[in-house]
């Protein structure tokens, strides 16, 4: 199959320009001038920009075991509708959790034949499974996830400091990657108990110091073992100096944040609206602005935060406890996979940041983190994953493809509409065109 798509604005690794993207057998074969096209080429509308397909390296699909929360068919349809052509599935909240080679095989078996975009997998690091880390790595997981406090599900317990260091030492022996939910159990244990409809009370129950303490532990263990680590879903602007110093000192640690931390602020969260509950929590606007600044630049012009990914973590409406609006009882997780791109673009556009930077945060950087060299850019030899995006069109968030579209984005006006998505040169229309990927993109 061959496809040629041209646009007056194409986001390429070296900048944005008019171009034609030629594909053969699902791969970008050439990038030529706008007029250098055969008959039958697809020409985007004047208000559309051609982006690389996005890579979301933080998605909780939950299948098997909790498929009523989300599943591979619904999650990947939502991804395709949002311009995301590759997701990486987290090892929880499925049952079994992906903490053994056997569980990884079970997850791949249930995903096969029903994914609308490409899917890769994280493994999990939990107490007692150090011997499973290398086999899972060799079987193709892109890395392993751990929690430094209670994960909320019993089948995925946290690592203490000894367990964290043992996992990092094992991963360092084959240059594997550890990604960590970094909040500290003791700091949270000393904070007020969450409960009731007050968002301020919930926020006080998970203070910024919980992130800073846990990140400090992770940085120390990463430095001592020489391993690679990654901080997921950073919400606390106060942790940025620590991370900046660690990176400047040669510690191999990378960082992500999420669209909801860049979009919302604690001051604006209505009491009782548990659709906003996530952990770590959406913090005050000062934290949000610090995260935006850290995406753009740090000391020496280098960003401190590398990427933006969804942390799509849905559940059933009943578990969100919207009936009582109790933040202490509700499941913590944001459903936002399908609207991740317009949510980030809305904020970036308002701050004068261009689409090239958004593509770096949401495509190139997560592809690099996950070790997927065929993804992340419109370039010769890469997969022909393309998105026609209308950056000035506004819409109000309504129907979503998620299985349980309880989301804080409901009814919110965003800017930027995904009009078409191609996966390896084929129209990504929600049908099961996706592949299951190993690390390296095989």
């Amino acid at each position: 199959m061959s496809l040629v798509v041209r646009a007056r604005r194409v986001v390429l690794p070296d900048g944005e320009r008019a171009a034609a993207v030629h594909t053969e057998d699902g791969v970008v074969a050439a990038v030529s001038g706008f007029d250098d096209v055969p008959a039958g080429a697809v020409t985007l509308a004047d208000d559309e920009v051609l982006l690389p397909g996005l890579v979301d390296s933080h998605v909780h699909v939950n299948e098997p075991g909790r498929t009523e929360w989300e599943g591979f068919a619904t999650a990947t349809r939502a991804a395709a509708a949002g311009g995301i052509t590759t997701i990486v599935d987290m090892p929880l909240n499925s049952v079994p959790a992906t903490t053994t080679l056997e569980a990884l095989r079970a997850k791949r078996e249930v995903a096969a034949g029903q994914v609308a975009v490409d899917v890769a997998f994280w493994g999990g690091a939990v107490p007692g499974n150090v011997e499973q880390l290398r086999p899972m790595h060799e079987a193709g997981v892109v890395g392993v996830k751990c929690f430094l406090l209670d994960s909320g599900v019993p089948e995925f317990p946290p690592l203490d400091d000894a367990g964290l260091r043992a996992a990092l030492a094992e991963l360092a022996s084959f240059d594997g990657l550890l990604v960590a939910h970094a909040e500290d159990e003791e700091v949270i244990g000393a904070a007020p108990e969450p409960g009731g409809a007050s968002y301020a009370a919930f926020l006080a129950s998970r203070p910024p110091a919980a992130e800073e303490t846990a990140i400090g532990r992770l940085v120390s263990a990463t430095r001592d073992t020489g391993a690679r680590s990654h901080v997921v879903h950073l919400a606390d602007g106060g942790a940025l100096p620590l991370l900046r110093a660690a990176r400047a000192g040669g510690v191999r640690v990378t960082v992500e944040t999420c669209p909801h931390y860049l979009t919302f602020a604690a001051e604006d969260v209505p009491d009782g609206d548990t659709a906003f509950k996530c952990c770590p929590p959406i913090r005050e606007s000062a934290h949000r602005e610090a995260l935006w600044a850290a995406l753009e630049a740090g000391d020496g012009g280098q960003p401190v935060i590398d990427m933006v990914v969804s942390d799509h973590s849905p559940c059933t409406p009943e578990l969100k406890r919207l009936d009582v609006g109790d933040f202490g009882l509700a499941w913590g997780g944001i459903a936002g996979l399908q609207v991740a791109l317009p949510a980030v673009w809305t904020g970036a556009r308002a701050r004068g940041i261009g689409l090239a930077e958004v593509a770096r945060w949401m495509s190139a950087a997560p592809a690099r983190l996950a070790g997927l060299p065929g993804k992340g850019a419109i370039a010769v030899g890469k997969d022909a994953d393309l998105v026609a995006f209308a950056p000035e069109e506004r819409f109000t968030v309504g129907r979503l493809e998620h299985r349980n579209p309880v989301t804080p984005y409901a009814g919110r006006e965003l800017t930027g509409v995904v009009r078409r998505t191609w996966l390896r040169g084929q129209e990504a229309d929600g049908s099961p065109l996706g592949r299951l990927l190993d690390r390296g993109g095989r």
Side-chain angles (χ1 to χ4, degrees):
M1 293 182 61
S2 62
L3 169 77
V4 178
V5 183
R6 67 177 182 171
R8 292 294 180 185
R9 296 176 62 191
V10 181
V11 174
L12 299 166
D14 58 352
E16 183 182 303
R17 66 176 186 271
V21 179
H22 303 249
T23 80
E24 290 286 345
D25 298 322
V27 175
V28 176
V31 178
S32 72
F34 180 83
D35 293 321
D36 183 13
V37 296
V42 175
T43 301
L44 297 196
D46 288 343
D47 67 337
E48 294 177 341
V49 179
L50 190 65
L51 298 176
L54 304 189
V55 177
D56 192 335
S57 57
H58 195 148
V59 179
H60 294 268
V61 176
N62 307 329
E63 186 176 7
R66 291 192 176 99
T67 312
E68 69 275 13
W69 294 18
E70 187 67 281
F72 283 104
T74 50
T76 57
R77 284 201 301 268
I84 298 164
T85 51
T86 305
I87 67 170
V88 188
D89 172 61
M90 280 290 170
L92 72 163
N93 302 299
S94 55
V95 181
T98 316
T99 57
T100 66
L101 193 57
E102 181 180 5
L104 173 64
R105 289 169 178 157
K107 180 162 281 197
R108 291 179 64 92
E109 182 176 343
V110 76
Q114 62 166 329
V115 295
V117 300
D118 288 352
V119 179
F121 300 90
W122 295 102
V126 296
N129 84 325
V130 168
E131 76 285 349
Q132 290 287 328
L133 302 185
R134 184 183 289 270
M136 286 193 292
H137 178 85
E138 292 173 349
V141 300
V142 304
V144 296
K145 166 81 174 285
C146 77
F147 270 69
L148 301 184
L149 82 171
D150 180 24
S151 71
V153 291
E155 62 274 3
F156 204 93
L159 296 179
D160 60 15
D161 275 347
L164 172 65
R165 288 173 178 269
L168 283 167
E170 175 67 6
L171 291 165
S173 71
F174 49 85
D175 201 31
L177 172 67
L178 181 82
V179 305
H181 181 125
E183 288 183 283
D184 186 80
E185 192 105 57
E186 290 188 9
V187 172
I188 289 176
E193 284 285 329
S198 169
Y199 186 75
F202 169 63
L203 189 61
S205 76
R206 301 186 87 99
E211 290 188 74
E212 293 157 27
T213 301
I215 289 170
R217 291 166 49 203
L218 179 66
V219 164
S220 177
T222 303
R223 178 188 294 112
D224 291 348
T225 58
R228 293 189 295 138
S229 67
H230 177 77
V231 176
V232 298
H233 51 50
L234 182 70
D236 170 36
L240 291 167
L242 167 63
L243 287 162
R244 182 179 291 114
R247 289 161 66 109
V251 180
R252 297 199 296 166
V253 59
T254 51
V255 189
E256 70 185 45
T257 192
C258 304
H260 41 278
Y261 301 129
L262 298 172
T263 300
F264 304 113
E267 297 95 324
D268 304 320
V269 176
D271 285 347
D273 194 344
T274 51
F276 285 87
K277 181 179 177 180
C278 58
C279 301
I282 294 165
R283 302 196 185 279
E284 297 87 350
S285 58
H287 291 274
R288 179 184 64 193
E289 298 312 313
L291 297 175
W292 275 109
L295 279 163
E296 291 191 79
D299 291 343
Q302 295 299 312
V304 181
I305 299 176
D306 302 272
M307 65 197 71
V308 184
V309 292
S310 72
D311 188 13
H312 177 67
S313 185
C315 65
T316 61
E318 293 77 16
L319 288 174
K320 267 299 185 185
R321 299 310 305 267
L322 295 166
D323 55 339
V324 295
D326 189 320
F327 282 98
L329 298 176
W331 173 260
I334 300 289
L337 180 63
Q338 187 172 329
V339 297
L341 172 57
V344 173
W345 170 239
T346 298
R349 178 178 176 273
R351 291 166 175 81
I353 301 169
L355 280 169
E357 286 297 280
V358 173
R360 177 174 64 81
W361 302 334
M362 303 188 76
S363 186
R368 185 166 54 251
L369 177 80
L372 301 174
K375 306 296 185 180
I378 300 173
V380 173
K382 301 275 191 181
D383 289 350
D385 297 347
L386 308 170
V387 178
F389 184 63
E392 301 304 317
E393 183 177 348
R394 296 181 179 181
F395 73 103
T396 299
V397 177
R399 181 182 178 274
L400 298 172
E401 297 291 337
H402 311 150
R403 185 181 298 276
N404 295 294
V406 176
T407 177
Y409 294 101
R412 189 176 184 90
E413 185 179 83
L414 298 175
T415 303
V417 171
V418 173
R419 291 186 177 160
R420 297 179 73 177
T421 303
W422 293 269
L423 176 67
R424 291 188 306 279
Q426 290 184 270
E427 189 101 28
D429 58 3
S431 59
L433 299 173
R435 298 176 181 172
L436 306 184
L437 305 178
D438 292 337
R439 187 190 63 265
R442 300 182 298 278

